[in-house]
Each structure stands twice: as C-alpha cells, then as structure tokens.
Amino acid sequence: MSHQHKIDNVQLHDLPNFATALITNMPASLVIGLVGTLGAGKTTLVQSIAESLGIDASDVTSPTFTLLQSHQTKALRDDTNDDLPHVLHHLDAYRLADEDEFLELGVDELFEESGSWTLIEWADRVEAVMPPGALWIRIEIDDDNDARELILSTRSAKVAQGFLGL
C-alpha cells in the first residue's frame, strides 16, 4: 500500500523549516529518494536537512562527480539523541549508467546502516533497487510563481506516520 502527502506553495526559503519537520517526524534510519527536474531544489533540500542536523551547508554540494558524500551529524559528534540520524549520506544517480553501477557503490550497506539517512538525488534512475520503505520526495516547480510542490510518498506505514507532523 502506498501512502502520499502533498505540500503546496513551498518557496526555497521554506525548505529549512520543512527539513526540520522531516528530521523531527521521521525515523533515525531512512532512505530518501529525491526526484525533480534540474534546478528544482534537490540539492538545496539536502543542504537544508544537513544544516538542521548541525552540518555546515557549505560542505554539502551536489555529488554529481564524486557520487557519494558522507557527513557526521551533530548528534554523532555530541553523542546525543538516538532519535536523530548520526550520519548523512548524499548520493547522486544522474551520471550512473544503470542500477548495477549504483549497487557497485555499496549502497545496499548504506541502506541498512542504523542511525543514518541516505539521500539520493535523481533516485528515479535507480528506482528498481531502492528499498521498499524509502521516502520519495518529488519536487515540482510551479512556473507561475516559482514555488515548489512537494509530493511525499512511501510504502512504509512507519514513514507515512511521520507525514502527520509535516
């Protein structure tokens, strides 16, 4: 069963508040697939999530060429709060040839890592190998006012429960 939640009229400057709400309402271990056109705000959302977790946003850039960046969160550095992710993994599937190349990065180990969030930009390119309990965030741009529509979906009842706090 698929669960869906839609948030309309989100401006880029609203993303930090959305990121904080995500962190507050979602499990400490989570895989997030980010989908949207070029310039939709995928990397900006990842930077907002990172900043909400105590990571310097300037250290978080699109990993189009490096493919994977990992960051320790404030929760790990302070050895506090097991309800928060301790590591943020940021991947970009844009330049990958196929799902096999994606799996060769060792993502299956990242998917199973306790206390980590794994965020994948262009995740629709590797959808077939994404875990069934992933949170999908599709970012669509409203051409009229440059706002975004965020469409969240998941097959996980536990993750969907977090929609209530958003």
Side-chain angles (χ1 to χ4, degrees), residues 1-6 132 134-136 151-163:
M1 174 183 218
S2 184
H3 307 272
Q4 188 168 318
H5 181 72
K6 185 166 69 167
L135 169 62
W136 289 87
I151 303 160
L152 289 71
S153 61
T154 186
R155 289 190 211 144
S156 165
K158 180 180 178 181
V159 173
Q161 190 173 14
F163 293 170

Side-chain angles (χ1 to χ4, degrees), residues 2-19:
S2 184
H3 307 272
Q4 188 168 318
H5 181 72
K6 185 166 69 167
I7 304 171
D8 292 316
N9 199 29
V10 177
Q11 301 291 330
L12 287 179
H13 66 266
D14 296 327
L15 290 179
N17 291 334
F18 174 70

Side-chain angles (χ1 to χ4, degrees), residues 66-68 91-93 95-111 126 129-130:
T66 58
L67 302 180
L68 168 64
L91 295 104
D92 190 322
R95 295 186 146 292
L96 299 177
D98 55 28
E99 288 93 355
D100 289 336
E101 186 177 356
F102 184 65
L103 291 172
E104 288 173 12
L105 295 173
V107 294
D108 49 339
E109 292 175 18
L110 298 180
F111 293 166
V126 293
V129 296
M130 290 286 286

Side-chain angles (χ1 to χ4, degrees), residues 35-55:
V35 180
T37 60
L38 194 63
K42 297 179 295 296
T43 302
T44 303
L45 177 55
V46 174
Q47 290 170 327
S48 295
I49 291 169
E51 197 162 52
S52 294
L53 289 168
I55 299 166

Side-chain angles (χ1 to χ4, degrees), residues 127-150:
E127 185 173 0
V129 296
M130 290 286 286
L135 169 62
W136 289 87
I137 302 177
R138 177 176 297 279
I139 305 172
E140 296 182 359
I141 302 174
D142 180 349
D143 293 330
D144 293 337
N145 62 8
D146 204 34
R148 271 66 174 165
E149 178 180 78
L150 304 178

Side-chain angles (χ1 to χ4, degrees), residues 44-105:
T44 303
L45 177 55
V46 174
Q47 290 170 327
S48 295
I49 291 169
E51 197 162 52
S52 294
L53 289 168
I55 299 166
D56 186 345
S58 66
D59 291 340
V60 180
T61 57
S62 182
T64 302
F65 297 101
T66 58
L67 302 180
L68 168 64
Q69 296 174 354
S70 296
H71 307 275
Q72 290 184 347
T73 70
K74 187 176 191 293
L76 179 62
R77 292 191 303 270
D78 293 348
D79 196 30
T80 60
N81 205 338
D82 286 337
D83 294 336
L84 296 175
H86 292 192
V87 178
L88 181 72
H89 300 293
H90 182 201
L91 295 104
D92 190 322
Y94 185 77
R95 295 186 146 292
L96 299 177
D98 55 28
E99 288 93 355
D100 289 336
E101 186 177 356
F102 184 65
L103 291 172
E104 288 173 12
L105 295 173

